[in-house]
């Protein structure tokens, strides 16, 4: 349970973020107010002992202070409570604005400002500081005519009257300030001086600064108090989103089931939808829904990146990879969308998205590393949204990953010919966490279900792409007869033996097949790499031509063989690889289960498919 202190714009935004993340929370505010949040809501003053007691009673695991910048006592209580209880405290602070303009005068404290006011001749003043600050002005001896803009609520008006301020000097106004109602108030009161707190953008400080300048009025600003030390200090809800995702992973309880996440393709699609909707409505959506390839609908939170200009806008999404050890977990994934008058749809490479430089991947060399699956998902969802708005044009879609170039150094992308960034990938849109024990446990359960349904044999492929290829070649099989081994071929066969299956067919693509042929039962790149000497050994055994053997010396990825070899050489090599895979498994597993290896054709560009002699055997 998270204890969130709010009552502010940031408080409500944080509550909505926690709702989106499915993280339970207790929302605490000073007054009841109108707080439309899904979490449990409490209100009232809390001193430090009461705060500590509440944390222990509610089994609080994290403190988030989204209170007002001037809630000085709250900040002290939160940080002291964190120190006493050993909890982590996060502060969501409002970004500071420049206060260098000529018509502004900045004060470090209320007494300093009151001293300056004492020296002024009598004048009419409008304080835009709220009902809680009236007490500071009542220390003045000078008989200034001070008017107060207060929140339009019965509680605020009652508090104002209790201070002794004349009713005519209290001006209730909506919480959401705009230039029109502020200028109306100025016209009605006709002040010669404005006073405000350094309340940040969400406190409409920039609007107050601009309005004062427009009306040629001086504006005095009281600086916000200094914050005590928090474990984490963030300035945007998107930063908090990233921080909470990282913390949820590091603090994960081991007995909980592993959480699925979303691919970079889903995130780029959501960002594209957000930008397109922004262009259609002139308002950036807070979240968007999209359809995955299997028809499931998911929701993603949207953040504004670049407002509409010249038919172009950009939005971002914070990636949640669940419990998978994905380097892009909590990374910013975005997309820039440009509207076209024609029906053309074009993809471009944005910052941090890699460039494909070698054959054998899902994208041709020279193209952005955006796989076909995400491309189809983006176009499909955009067309659905376009129908809603009656849009008939096309798009230029430019995904970007601001940290992509740096994050790519922690992947194998540079080694496999993707330079300058990461890939936009994802066949299903879902990231399923890679945990050895959890993976094997789930695999075992899957097989038990298949056995209970009367299946005597299984088809195992690395993932959805391999399964789709198998179905294309051999026709549909019952859904439960298929299992995905990921990289754990050996563990998959052990599970099949344990469940007493009679036969298992291993459908495998060339990249993993060359590793299995060499004897690797776990084909993850951290455990098995391409062995050039072994490739040459296979080439000799397959009796490849001299030209073919020379061509194979150049490869970095085994998938490149398809584009480098003549059809006859390629077929002989693939048959030899498949034979070597079969030998590996025959030697390592008992005879009471029949194992059949099928090398599947790896789909590349259409031109290569036409000339490729190989199919599953």
């Amino acid at each position: 349970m998270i204890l969130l202190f709010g009552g502010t714009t940031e408080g409500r935004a944080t509550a909505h973020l926690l709702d989106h993340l499915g993280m339970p929370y207790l929302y605490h505010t000073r007054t009841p107010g109108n707080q439309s949040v899904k979490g449990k809501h409490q209100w009232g003053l809390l001193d430090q002992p009461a705060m500590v007691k509440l944390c222990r009673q509610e089994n609080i695991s994290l403190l988030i202070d989204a209170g007002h910048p001037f809630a000085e006592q709250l900040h002290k209580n939160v940080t002291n409570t964190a120190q006493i209880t050993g909890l982590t405290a996060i502060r969501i602070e409002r970004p500071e604005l420049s206060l260098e303009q000529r018509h502004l005068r900045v004060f470090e404290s209320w007494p300093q400002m009151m001293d300056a006011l004492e020296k002024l001749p009598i004048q009419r003043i409008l304080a835009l500081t709220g009902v809680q600050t009236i007490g500071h002005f009542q220390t003045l001896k000078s008989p200034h005519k001070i008017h107060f803009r207060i929140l339009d609520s019965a509680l605020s008006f009652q508090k104002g009257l209790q201070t002794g301020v004349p009713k005519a000097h209290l001006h209730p106004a909506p919480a959401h300030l705009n230039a029109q109602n502020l200028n109306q108030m100025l016209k009605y009161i006709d002040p010669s001086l404005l006073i405000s707190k350094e309340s940040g953008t969400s406190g409409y400080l920039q609007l107050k600064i601009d309005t004062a300048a427009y009306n040629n009025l001086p504006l005095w600003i009281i600086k916000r108090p200094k914050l005590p030390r928090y474990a984490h200090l963030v300035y945007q809800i998107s930063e908090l989103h990233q921080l909470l995702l990282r913390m949820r992973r590091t603090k994960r309880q081991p007995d909980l089931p592993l959480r699925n996440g979303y691919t970079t393709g889903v995130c780029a699609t959501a960002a594209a939808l957000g930008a397109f909707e922004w262009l259609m409505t002139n308002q950036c959506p807070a979240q968007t829904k999209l359809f995955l390839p299997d028809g499931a609908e998911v929701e993603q939170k949207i953040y504004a990146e670049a407002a509409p200009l010249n038919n172009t806008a950009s939005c971002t999404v914070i990636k949640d990879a669940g419990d998978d050890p994905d380097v892009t977990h909590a990374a910013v994934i975005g997309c820039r969308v440009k509207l076209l008058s024609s029906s053309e749809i074009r993809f471009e490479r944005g910052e941090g998205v890699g460039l494909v430089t070698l054959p054998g991947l899902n994208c041709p060399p020279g193209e952005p590393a955006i796989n076909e699956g995400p491309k189809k998902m983006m176009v499909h969802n955009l067309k659905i949204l376009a129908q809603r708005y009656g849009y008939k044009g096309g798009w230029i879609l430019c995904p970007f990953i601001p940290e992509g170039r740096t994050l790519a150094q922690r992947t194998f992308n540079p080694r496999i010919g993707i330079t300058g960034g990461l890939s936009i990938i994802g066949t299903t849109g879902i990231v399923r966490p890679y945990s050895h024990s959890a993976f094997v446990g789930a695999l075992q359960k899957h097989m038990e279900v298949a056995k209970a349904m009367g299946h005597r044999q299984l088809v195992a492929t690395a993932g959805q792409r391999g399964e789709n290829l198998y179905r294309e070649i051999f026709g549909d099989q019952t859904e439960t007869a298929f299992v995905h081994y990921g990289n754990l071929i050996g563990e998959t066969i052990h599970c099949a033996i344990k469940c007493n299956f009679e036969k298992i067919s291993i459908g495998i693509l060339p990249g993993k097949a060359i590793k299995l042929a060499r004897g690797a039962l776990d084909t993850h790149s951290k455990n098995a790499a391409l062995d050039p000497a072994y490739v040459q050994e296979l080439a000799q055994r397959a009796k490849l031509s001299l030209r073919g053997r020379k061509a194979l010396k150049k490869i970095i990825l085994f998938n490149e063989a398809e584009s480098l070899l003549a059809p006859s050489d390629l077929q002989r090599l693939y048959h030899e690889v498949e034979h070597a895979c079969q030998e590996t498994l025959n030697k390592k597993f008992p005879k009471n289960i029949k194992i059949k290896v099928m090398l599947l054709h790896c789909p590349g560009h259409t031109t290569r498919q036409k000339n490729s002699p190989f199919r599953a055997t």
Side-chain angles (χ1 to χ4, degrees), residues 5 96 172 196 212 244 271 291 304 330 371 377 381 383 417 422 437 443 543 562 612 616:
F5 294 96
E96 295 183 356
S196 176
L244 290 175
F291 293 101
N371 286 5
M377 183 163 46
N381 281 280
K383 285 184 175 179
L422 294 165
S437 58
L443 196 61
K543 299 181 180 179
E562 188 174 353
S612 176

Side-chain angles (χ1 to χ4, degrees), residues 413-445:
N413 274 13
R415 189 180 297 181
I416 63 174
I418 297 176
T419 63
L422 294 165
S423 308
I424 304 295
I425 60 174
T427 304
T428 65
I430 300 295
V431 175
R432 291 178 171 83
Y434 180 87
S435 162
H436 191 101
S437 58
F439 186 92
V440 173
L443 196 61
Q444 187 81 32
K445 289 291 183 185

Side-chain angles (χ1 to χ4, degrees), residues 175-435:
H176 299 293
L177 189 65
N178 59 47
Q180 182 179 0
N181 59 42
L182 180 55
N183 276 306
Q184 285 176 346
M185 188 175 291
L186 293 178
K187 186 177 180 180
Y188 177 74
I189 299 170
D190 191 25
S192 53
L193 171 66
L194 299 180
I195 294 177
S196 176
K197 295 182 292 189
E198 188 199 1
S199 50
T201 303
S202 60
Y204 303 100
L205 180 59
Q206 189 62 59
L207 173 63
K208 296 170 188 176
I209 292 172
D210 294 343
T211 303
Y214 178 80
N215 288 279
N216 198 28
L217 285 171
L219 174 61
W220 287 12
I221 297 174
I222 181 75
K223 289 202 71 174
R224 68 182 71 171
K226 290 185 178 180
L227 287 172
R229 185 178 295 275
Y230 290 82
H232 300 280
L233 182 64
V234 297
Y235 290 90
Q236 303 288 345
I237 294 298
S238 58
E239 291 179 57
L240 180 63
H241 193 159
Q242 291 179 290
L243 177 60
L244 290 175
L245 286 178
R246 293 180 180 126
M247 291 179 71
R248 179 155 66 180
R249 174 172 289 180
T250 57
K251 295 179 181 294
R252 179 185 173 274
Q253 297 178 18
D255 57 332
L256 292 177
L258 292 172
R259 292 175 53 257
N260 289 340
Y262 297 105
T263 63
T264 50
V266 164
C267 297
T269 299
L273 292 174
F276 176 57
E277 188 167 347
W278 199 358
L279 288 164
M280 292 293 100
T281 65
N282 206 32
Q283 183 174 357
C284 183
Q287 60 274 324
T288 191
K289 292 183 178 180
L290 61 103
F291 293 101
L292 300 181
D294 66 358
E297 190 177 39
V298 298
E299 185 175 278
Q300 294 287 306
K301 193 165 180 58
I302 301 297
Y303 296 101
E305 176 71 14
L309 180 65
N310 298 327
N311 288 326
T312 305
S314 301
C315 286
T316 60
V317 167
I318 308 300
K319 179 177 175 179
D320 182 357
D323 290 320
D324 188 72
D326 189 327
V327 298
T328 57
H329 180 65
V332 174
I333 312 291
C335 189
R336 185 173 69 249
V337 175
K338 182 178 178 62
L339 304 182
L340 298 176
S341 56
S342 69
S343 60
E344 179 188 8
I345 300 173
R346 189 164 76 242
F347 286 86
E348 294 183 350
R349 176 186 173 220
E351 177 189 1
V353 173
L355 180 71
V356 177
T357 62
L358 294 176
L361 296 172
N362 191 255
C363 311
E367 290 291 318
I370 309 171
N371 286 5
E372 285 302 314
K375 286 181 179 178
K376 291 178 181 177
M377 183 163 46
M378 292 171 77
V379 172
H380 175 70
N381 281 280
L382 280 168
K383 285 184 175 179
I384 292 173
L385 197 57
Q387 286 182 339
R388 185 189 305 172
Y389 292 111
Y391 177 73
K392 299 185 183 302
W395 302 275
I396 296 177
L397 305 173
C398 183
F400 58 89
I401 308 173
E403 296 180 276
R405 188 177 291 271
T406 301
L407 291 173
Q409 301 307 311
R410 294 162 54 189
T411 72
F412 286 93
N413 274 13
R415 189 180 297 181
I416 63 174
I418 297 176
T419 63
L422 294 165
S423 308
I424 304 295
I425 60 174
T427 304
T428 65
I430 300 295
V431 175
R432 291 178 171 83
Y434 180 87
S435 162

